[in-house]
Amino acid sequence: MSARARGGRRGSRQGRGRTGGRAGGRRVFFFGDGRADGRASQRDTLGGKGANLAEMTRLGLPVPPGFTIATAVAKAFAEGGGRVPAGVLREARAALARVERIMGARFGDPEHPLLLSVRSGSPVSMPGMMDTVLNLGLSDQTVAGLAERAGERFAWDSYRRFVQMFGDVVLGVPHERFEACLESVRDEVGASEDTQLGAGDLRRVTREYLEIVRAHTGAAFPQDPPEQLERAIAAVFRSWNNERAVRYRRLHGISDSLGTAVNVQAMVFGNMGEGCATGVAFTRDPNTGDKRFYGEYLENAQGEDVVAGIRTPQPINEASRSGSSLPSLEQQMPAVYRKLLRIAKRLERHYRDMQDIEFTVQQGRLWLLQTRTGKRTPTAAVRIAVDLVKERMLRREQAVCRVDPAQLDRLLHPTLDPNVRRDVLARGLPASPGAAVGAIVFSADVAEARAKAGEKVILVRAETSPDDIHGLHAAEGVLTTRGGMTSHAAVVARGMGKPCVVGCGAARIDEAARTLRVGGRELGEGDALTLDGTTGEVMAGRLPTVTPELGGAFTELMGWADRLRRLRVRTNADTPHDARVGREFGAEGIGLCRTEHMFFEPARVIAVREMILATTREERVRALAKLEPVQQSDFAGIFRAMDGLPVTVRLLDPPLHEFLPQNDDEIRELAEALDTGPAEVRARVDALREFNPMLGHRGCRLGITFPEIYEMQVRAILRAAREVAGEGIRVEPEIMIPLVAHESELARLRALVTREAARVLGDRPNIGLRVGTMIEVPRAALTAGAIAASADFFSFGTNDLTQMTYALSRDDAGRFLPEYIEMGILEDDPFVSIDESGIGELMRIAVQRGRAARADLTLGLCGEHGGDPKSVRFCHALGLDYVSCSPYRVPIARLAAAQAAVGER
Ligand code: ADP
Ligand code: MG
Ligand code: MG
């Protein structure tokens, strides 16, 4: 082998000279014996697999020779009605001749047949989604030649494998047919594993397979190797559009237009008996990120067998053992193992990342069949990125870009133990990640009561409303049968960092009977349930969870990210607890403190309702007086938690009807408090009803028509600020006015705030109060210049801005938006990632006009988009000062902001 490797290095230099200038029109890229037309950087052209096969060949590693048909051909193939262009076939034949020369065997030759693998490989990894055919080139004739040279058993084992794979992938014969046949032969001869089948058994299996194909397709199995090759290439191109691949691309946002490449490669055999094996290895532990070589292999087997799980694989070394008592590769084939380890180290250094390697050993000789960036858990991703910096393979800014910010979400929440089998009852939308385990409860009150008694509960509802807040707080997780990713339950749960599955249509709740019917089972209150908010799975019983540790590596990486980013990150927090969590996660202030959540607490909501239903100013002022001290203490708690950091408090925003009593009990209770009758209360509630509350009497409109509400809130904020400042704590209050559409609204309310501030703080205000507005109405964005005259800051409320600009109701979009995305009409849910060309354009206008009117205007964004990596990048590019997101998303935003800054260099 060393001669080959040396030849390889020499060859690669020549190879580069030969390909120069011609690469543009090339559609077939040869690799083998140290030379390769392609290289690792040509992923788009060659697919990931092809590009890395070429690169490994250039590195002089032992890779079976072959060629890659470029992704561009996939397009020609589809447009040409499913035919491989003749020119490509000609180029392929020329490349095949080179493979034959290297291997010293001929494709289709009855004496010494060359066998091929035909492998898919797209620019973006789609593991297991597309097809591969192995052992191609076998026929009734060539199998005899192979048997002659390499043994009967091996030849027939290869032939039956080929007939099955070709039958399945190319001819569309259901693979169960083959499996059933194999099983019955195994049973008949009393073999528990395929390896126990003899040559005669395998010959019989193959003959039966050929019959299965004839019966299913009505034609004999193709016996002509060139025809086999052409049809296999076509099938791999077609597999780009198989249902599973299409669905996978939708789910992962991969473009359909990339297309797959096809790799045709000489077979090497791990199933030739003694000294043969096949396996996969990772250069580091993909679960923990530990620096240890890790992997599994099977003796006397072919690649597919390892993944298929038909036999228990053996560990490659002690580090990979995890309970297995089988001998390791290191013990069985020490020389091969050492060589594999050496190559693994080399590949990792070369690619500067953890690699996932496929290898095969044919009669003691090691072959590399694939290398790619290894998939890893979030914990491992962070650990590896940091370690690679320490090992001088990466610079810090590169390491920061190695971790997918969205992955951090999972790092911060407990997850289900991956080693436990899941009995999935149903699947909903994965609205908020992490695992939750607890007893089923059907109402917020029961949730609260049971949680107070120390029980862990899962709140199960058709949907939730603001009235359920205390239940959401108390529960470990939330399951709803209706609603989408931006439904109330989803948004609130995400904000609280609670696992949540929404829109689980397969589950039925019977409120009266207090039962949940799902997956053919009926569960009652108190029964155990497990939710996986990361996958949307709902499972019966209590599954064990694991809490990921935020070790030193995480802190270190985040520290690097913080030094790189320009965009600041604040958190949305309505309670001191959330404020503290956000701060622990690195928030640099509060960008949104919603005051209405404080109103929903059961003890307060009565006073809130009195305030709303008041018919005179006096009544309203009296009710507000009850709320003022509680609001003040809420704010004081938050200011204390955020010592030294800015806190943006938004004045009351939602339409008042949201606070109103819903049922007879609540109406009676309120009537008593108001000293009137239920009928009177009901009449007043009806009078408040609006046709279109989201566009109705809400936000600053309330502050203008009922100034005493905002006056009370301003006083509570400033008294809290003064109180806390007296304790030696640094307070930076910011008051934010919601739903401003016209500059006069803000001018008027700014005057109100200033007036109240003067009353509270006197003429020597030692507290620097800033006043600003949400930009969430399209008109406000367009007239940002005029609005900036009264604003110290803008904060984009992109939830409402999206809703209003898109004429898309957040609460109803679930009915058609998933279909829109499925059909490709929209690429992303605009409530998840900012619609850059529409809503983003309005933001651009507002930034420009706002800053032109006032250079020192602070610009931020609050809302769900603040924790979405793509939207964070956009905010960075837009030049915002900060984004604000729910506490658990703060690290995501920090990392995404750093990546945006690095990407700009
Ligand atoms: P996937 O993309 O699903 O991993 P691959 O193209 O890598 O599919 O092939 C599937 C299996 O076949 C792998 O285990 C691989 O190692 C094996 N295989 C592919 N090409 C060859 C070959 N030339 N010789 C031996 N085994 C091969
Ligand atoms: Mg593979
Ligand atoms: Mg809003």
Side-chain angles (χ1 to χ4, degrees), residues 49 119 358 370 372:
K49 200 180 287 165
R119 318 170 65 186
E358 286 177 8
Q370 190 169 347
R372 62 183 158 202

Side-chain angles (χ1 to χ4, degrees), residues 566-567 836 844 847 871-880 900-901 904:
R566 188 196 67 221
L567 192 67
E836 294 179 15
R844 240 176 251 124
V847 167
S871 307
V872 170
R873 279 196 292 278
F874 179 71
C875 291
H876 169 93
L878 208 54
L880 298 194
E904 213 170 51

Side-chain angles (χ1 to χ4, degrees), residues 131-191:
D131 296 320
T132 288
V133 179
L134 302 181
N135 309 306
L136 186 129
L138 278 171
S139 66
D140 294 347
Q141 207 185 15
T142 54
V143 73
L146 191 66
E148 189 76 20
R149 301 186 70 91
E152 282 280 328
R153 188 192 179 280
F154 161 71
W156 287 101
D157 184 45
S158 301
Y159 195 14
R160 63 101 189 168
R161 288 172 184 272
F162 171 53
V163 176
Q164 164 156 7
M165 284 184 108
F166 192 93
D168 172 14
V169 170
V170 183
L171 304 173
V173 183
H175 59 96
E176 299 86 25
R177 303 253 177 115
F178 299 114
E179 273 142 32
C181 164
L182 183 62
E183 209 175 296
S184 77
V185 173
R186 252 193 337 237
D187 285 351
E188 221 171 283
V189 303

Side-chain angles (χ1 to χ4, degrees), residues 27 36 65 75 156 250 258 263 357 361 371 388 435 470 493 498 596 612 647 682 718 725 747 760 764 793 796 811 855:
R27 289 171 296 180
K75 225 167 269 149
W156 287 101
R250 291 267 183 290
L258 293 174
N263 302 287
I357 298 166
V361 186
T371 190
L388 290 182
H470 57 299
K498 282 205 175 155
E596 57 269 18
I612 294 169
V647 175
R682 206 165 280 126
L718 293 174
V760 175
R764 281 186 29 233
F793 63 87
F796 288 99
D811 304 307

